[in-house]
Amino acid sequence: MPTTARRSGLAGVATLLLAGVVAGLVVAAVAFPASALSGLALRAVGGSADALPAALKSPPTQEASYLYANDGKTLITTFYDENRKAVSFSAIAPVMRKAIVAAEDTRFYQHGGVDPRGVIRALVANGSAGGVSQGASTLTMQYVRNVLKTDPSLTPQQRADATKDTVGRKIQEMRYATALEQKLSKNEILRRYLNIAYFGHGAYGIYAASRTYFSVPPDRLTLPQAALLAGLVQSPDADNPVTGDRKAALARRSYVLDAMAKAGDISRGQAARAKATPLALNPSTTPNDCVSVPANHNDWGFFCDYVKQWWDAQPAFGKTVAQREQALRQGGYRIVTSLDPDTQRQALAQSLSVYGYDSARALPMAVVQPGTGKVTALAVNRHFSLARNPAGQQGYPNTTAQLIAGGNGVDGYQAGSTFKMFTMLAALSEGKPLSTGFDAPGRLQTRWPDAGAASCGGYYCPGNDNPSWMDGYRTMWTGFGRSVNTYFVWLEEQIGPQKAVAMAKRLGIRFRADSDARRAAHDAGSWGSFTLGVADTTPLDLANAYATVAAQGKYCAPTPITSITDAHGARVSAGGPDCHQAIGKGVAAPAADAARCPVGQQSAGGHCDGGTATEVGSILSGRSVGGKTGSSENNATETFVGFTPQIAAAGIAANPSDPSDYVGSGVSAAVDRAVAQTMRTALRGTTGTDLPTPPARLTGD
C-alpha cells in the first residue's frame, strides 16, 4: 500500500494544479459542456484543513442503536432512522476495501483528494460527448458529498445544494477533499466512506450492507460478495439484487471484478471464477424498534417498551422526549440491558401456567435485583403486538406500561395485604418492636368515619377473612404470617395511616390513580384501609419496594440498564444504580425477619406460627426467603411478592379490562408458585446468604 510519502509528489502536483484558474476551468468543464461556461467567474480551489466544516472534521453520521440482553451478546432489537453501524478499518475485509477502490477510484492511494488525470480524462470525454458523460469524483470527493448532504447542522437547502451539478458545488467539493487529505490518512477516509455510503435495500454503510445481503459481518465478505456490494454504490436502489435488477447487479459485479484484475488486486482467473459464482444471497432484516423484536422472543417486547419509557425520561439524551428518541434512533448507542433471558423465559412460562394467551385475565410479573434496582425480567401472558383483547375489543392493554409498569390508561392493580409491609416498617421506625401484641378480633371498629359497606356504627370496621385462623392474640410476626387484617388496621391506627403512606412512598410506591394520589396528599391521616392494599400499584413497584427490605433498607430506583456506550465507545453514566438509604438497616432487618413467616420459614427467634404461602418456602428450600400474599376485595386480584438477599419478584393476577372480575379459584396458590419458581430460576448460580438478624431492641425478645 503506498505511503503518504510515496504519493506526496503527485499530491503536490494536484494541489498546484488546483491552485490556479486552469483548475477552475477544468472543473467547470467536467460539470458543464463548453457552451455553458460563458460568463462564469471561476475561482481557485485550493483548501486547508482549517477551512473544513465541523461535519467533515467529526462527521455526525446517523447510526443505529443496538439493544442487548444482560450478556451483551443476545440482541433484543435495534433502533434506527438509517440502518447503519460504523466499524473500524480492520473490521472490513481487505477484499472489500480493494473492490470499492477498483470500482470507484483506482488512483485513490496516489492522488491528493482530487485526481488530475481523472479530471483531464473527464474533460476530454465530456468535450467529445458535448455534455456530462463522465465524472471525476474521487472517493474522497464522494465522501465529502455524502457528509454534506446528511449534515444535520445544515439547512435543508444547503444539504440539497451538496448534490447539485453546479460549478460552485464542484469547486467546493474539491477544496474540501484536498483539505481533508491533509487531515486524515487514506485508510481513515476509506473507512469513513465505507461507513457512510448507501448500498441499497435500506442498508447504509458496509456493516448493514454485508448483513442485509449476505447475513455476515463485513470482515467475512468473500471476493464475489465484496465485488457485488462495491458495484451497488453507483445505483443502489435500481441495482440491488433483492428487490431491484439482478442482472444489472451481476453486470456491475463483473465490472468490479475486471477492474480489480486490471489493478492487479486479483488474477484474471480469480475474476473469472468469481464471475461464475452464483449470486448466493442470504438476506436478513435488521429489526427496528420494539414491535420488531424477533418472533421467538416476542415477550421481550414488553421489556423493550420499558427501556423506551426509561430512555424517554433521561435528560442525558436530550432536553425533550423528541430529542431523546432521535438520539436513540441516530446516536449509535450500545445498550446492554439488565434482562436475564433465563429468568424472562421462566417468568413467561409461569405466567402462562396460570392463564393462557387467550385469557382475558393476566398475570404480569416483575423481577428486580436488590441493591442495584436492575430489572431482570418483565413478563405477562400476552403477545406484545396484540392490539385487541380476546373479545375483539380495541385498546386492550398490551404494553409494559399498561400491564407491568403502570400508566397508559391502566393505573395498576390493588395488591391487597402486601401493603401491610409498609405499616410494619412505619411502626418499626416509630420504635415499636415486632413483639407488639394485640388481641385481634374478627371485626374491628376504628376511629375513622365511614359510611360504606365496611362500616359499623358509622365508622370504618374491617374484618378478617378467616376468623378461626386469624383471630386472637397477634404480634407483627404472627399477624404478618397469617395476614390478619384487624391486627394491622389496629397497628396502623396506633402510628397513623399517614406514616404508612409516607413509608410506601419512600420505598417507591407511586400513586398513579388520581383518586389515590389525592388521598395520599390530602387525606392520608384517615386512610385506614391503606394497609389492606386498596391503592393501585404494579408488580414492578411492589417488587422493588420489597427489594429495598431485602437490601437492608437501601432503595434503588428500578432500571433496565446494565451499561450504555456511545458511538465512540465512551461510557454513558445514565442508567447506573441510583440508590440511597431509604430506611435504617435496623428497621429493614426485623421487617425481613417477620416476612419469613408467610412463606413457611421461621423467624430468628422462632416466633412464626403459620403462613399463607408456605409452599414458597418449599420451592426455595435452602434459601433465606421472605414474602407476602395479598387479595383484594372479592378476589378481584391475587398477589404474591417474595425476596431473598439476591432477588425480589412480584406477580399480580387481574383482569386488565375489568378490575372487579373474580380472578378464579385456586389462583392465589398458583400465583405464589409462579413467582417462587421464577425466583428459583433467577437464583441459579448465586450463593445463598441469610437475611440479617434483627436487633433485639426491635424484636422485644
Side-chain angles (χ1 to χ4, degrees):
M1 183 179 294
T3 64
T4 302
R6 282 151 59 189
R7 57 185 169 85
S8 60
L10 285 172
V13 172
T15 303
L16 289 173
L17 177 64
L18 293 169
V21 176
V22 173
L25 291 171
V26 170
V27 172
V30 173
F32 292 91
S35 60
L37 296 176
S38 178
L40 292 177
L42 303 177
R43 53 193 172 87
V45 293
S48 68
D50 293 337
L52 283 171
L56 286 170
K57 293 179 181 178
S58 181
T61 306
Q62 292 186 25
E63 289 190 48
S65 294
Y66 288 73
L67 192 71
Y68 296 95
N70 65 351
D71 59 6
K73 300 177 182 178
T74 306
L75 183 69
I76 298 174
T77 193
T78 50
F79 302 93
Y80 57 85
D81 286 334
E82 293 182 354
N83 181 18
R84 176 189 284 113
K85 178 182 179 181
V87 294
S88 67
F89 187 76
S90 62
I92 304 170
V95 71
M96 183 66 228
R97 304 177 216 149
K98 293 176 181 178
I100 199 70
V101 170
E104 295 296 312
D105 187 0
T106 56
R107 287 175 34 79
F108 174 69
Y109 282 101
Q110 282 75 50
H111 61 65
V114 177
D115 185 6
R117 295 184 187 178
V119 171
I120 294 171
R121 184 173 60 250
L123 174 62
V124 172
N126 292 343
S128 300
V132 182
S133 66
Q134 190 176 118
S137 290
T138 63
L139 279 175
T140 311
M141 292 165 64
Q142 290 182 44
Y143 170 69
V144 167
R145 191 181 317 139
N146 275 320
V147 171
L148 295 180
K149 74 180 182 181
T150 58
D151 183 0
S153 68
L154 299 179
T155 65
Q157 184 59 51
Q158 288 172 321
R159 289 196 292 270
D161 289 344
T163 59
K164 283 185 177 179
D165 282 329
T166 65
V167 173
R169 191 272 295 175
K170 204 72 175 180
I171 292 174
Q172 182 188 65
E173 196 173 278
M174 286 182 161
R175 292 177 64 207
Y176 286 159
T178 57
L180 196 66
E181 295 250 357
Q182 298 174 37
K183 180 178 175 62
L184 302 176
S185 70
K186 283 289 188 179
N187 286 351
E188 175 60 13
I189 293 171
L190 183 58
R191 182 193 75 84
R192 291 190 181 191
Y193 173 85
L194 283 168
N195 279 320
I196 200 173
Y198 180 54
F199 290 86
H201 204 54
Y204 293 83
I206 190 59
Y207 180 89
S210 58
R211 291 283 187 182
T212 296
Y213 291 107
F214 301 110
S215 298
V216 298
D219 62 349
R220 290 175 52 193
L221 288 168
T222 64
L223 174 60
Q225 291 171 342
L228 181 83
L229 295 181
L232 293 179
V233 295
Q234 275 200 8
S235 186
D237 286 318
D239 291 351
N240 102 68
V242 176
T243 59
D245 188 338
R246 285 198 170 201
K247 289 183 178 180
L250 286 171
R252 285 292 299 166
R253 184 180 76 170
S254 295
Y255 164 80
V256 175
L257 290 167
D258 287 339
M260 293 178 74
K262 184 177 180 180
D265 294 325
I266 59 175
S267 68
R268 292 291 179 185
Q270 286 176 306
R273 287 190 294 273
K275 288 180 183 180
T277 302
L279 195 54
L281 294 176
N282 183 21
S284 61
T285 302
T286 302
N288 191 9
D289 218 305
C290 299
V291 294
S292 297
V293 171
N296 60 325
H297 296 311
N298 177 264
D299 59 298
W300 293 12
F302 293 102
F303 195 95
C304 175
D305 183 65
Y306 174 53
V307 172
K308 286 191 68 177
Q309 290 179 56
W310 175 89
W311 186 279
D312 287 348
Q314 303 304 309
F317 304 113
K319 293 182 179 180
T320 66
V321 170
Q323 289 175 342
R324 295 163 193 166
E325 292 193 350
Q326 182 182 39
L328 181 61
R329 297 190 309 272
Q330 300 180 2
Y333 292 96
R334 184 178 189 274
I335 308 162
V336 179
T337 72
S338 52
L339 174 72
D340 179 70
D342 289 340
T343 304
Q344 176 70 23
R345 192 177 300 112
Q346 181 68 282
L348 176 62
Q350 292 302 319
S351 180
L352 288 169
S353 73
V354 179
Y355 299 122
Y357 280 121
D358 59 350
S359 174
R361 296 162 183 163
L363 177 56
M365 298 174 63
V367 185
V368 183
Q369 188 180 81
T372 67
K374 291 180 180 179
V375 182
T376 61
L378 293 172
V380 66
N381 53 303
R382 292 287 186 271
H383 296 295
F384 177 70
S385 59
L386 189 66
R388 298 172 181 266
N389 71 3
Q393 296 169 327
Q394 289 280 12
Y396 195 50
N398 71 308
T399 68
T400 307
Q402 293 166 306
L403 282 174
I404 298 171
N408 288 354
V410 174
D411 300 311
Y413 311 98
Q414 292 185 4
S417 293
T418 60
F419 272 43
K420 289 170 181 171
M421 172 62 79
F422 308 125
T423 300
M424 181 162 60
L425 286 167
L428 290 165
S429 295
E430 292 293 302
K432 294 184 179 296
L434 291 173
S435 60
T436 300
F438 174 64
D439 192 2
R443 196 165 175 84
L444 177 71
Q445 181 173 316
T446 69
R447 59 182 172 81
W448 299 299
D450 189 331
S455 68
C456 55
Y459 292 90
Y460 178 54
C461 196
N464 293 326
D465 293 335
N466 187 348
S468 64
W469 196 63
M470 297 177 174
D471 296 4
Y473 188 81
R474 300 296 171 205
T475 64
M476 291 189 209
W477 283 296
T478 59
F480 200 71
R482 297 195 177 208
S483 199
V484 182
N485 291 344
T486 55
Y487 174 83
F488 271 91
V489 172
W490 170 82
L491 185 64
E492 184 184 52
E493 193 173 26
Q494 307 307 301
I495 60 170
Q498 69 276 11
K499 293 181 179 177
V501 171
M503 181 60 68
K505 288 182 179 179
R506 285 165 67 180
L507 270 63
I509 297 297
R510 296 167 56 193
F511 297 103
R512 293 179 171 87
D514 290 342
S515 57
D516 293 341
R518 286 193 298 270
R519 183 130 198 207
H522 306 295
D523 193 25
S526 65
W527 201 353
S529 60
F530 179 77
T531 193
L532 303 184
V534 296
D536 287 345
T537 190
T538 67
L540 180 55
D541 280 2
L542 192 61
N544 202 48
Y546 274 67
T548 304
V549 178
Q552 301 186 59
K554 181 181 179 182
Y555 171 82
C556 297
T559 176
I561 301 300
T562 292
S563 67
I564 302 175
T565 52
D566 64 18
H568 305 291
R571 188 74 174 256
V572 178
S573 60
D578 179 12
C579 307
H580 65 272
Q581 199 70 30
I583 52 176
K585 293 182 179 180
V587 171
D593 190 56
R596 301 183 70 169
C597 296
V599 298
Q601 292 196 348
Q602 193 51 259
S603 68
H607 300 285
C608 301
D609 67 350
T612 56
T614 56
E615 189 178 359
V616 171
S618 300
I619 293 172
L620 296 171
S621 177
R623 294 281 183 168
S624 183
V625 59
K628 186 71 186 75
T629 56
S631 301
S632 63
E633 189 173 358
N634 298 322
N635 301 99
T637 63
E638 292 289 354
T639 302
F640 179 74
V641 54
F643 65 89
T644 70
Q646 296 83 22
I647 207 73
I652 303 177
N655 184 334
S657 300
D658 183 1
S660 64
D661 182 31
Y662 170 62
V663 295
S665 176
V667 168
S668 176
V671 172
D672 301 346
R673 287 192 296 270
V675 174
Q677 292 289 2
T678 301
M679 292 174 64
R680 185 178 179 180
T681 296
L683 289 167
R684 288 176 183 169
T686 66
T687 302
T689 55
D690 290 335
L691 293 167
T693 301
R697 66 180 179 83
L698 286 179
T699 63
D701 288 340

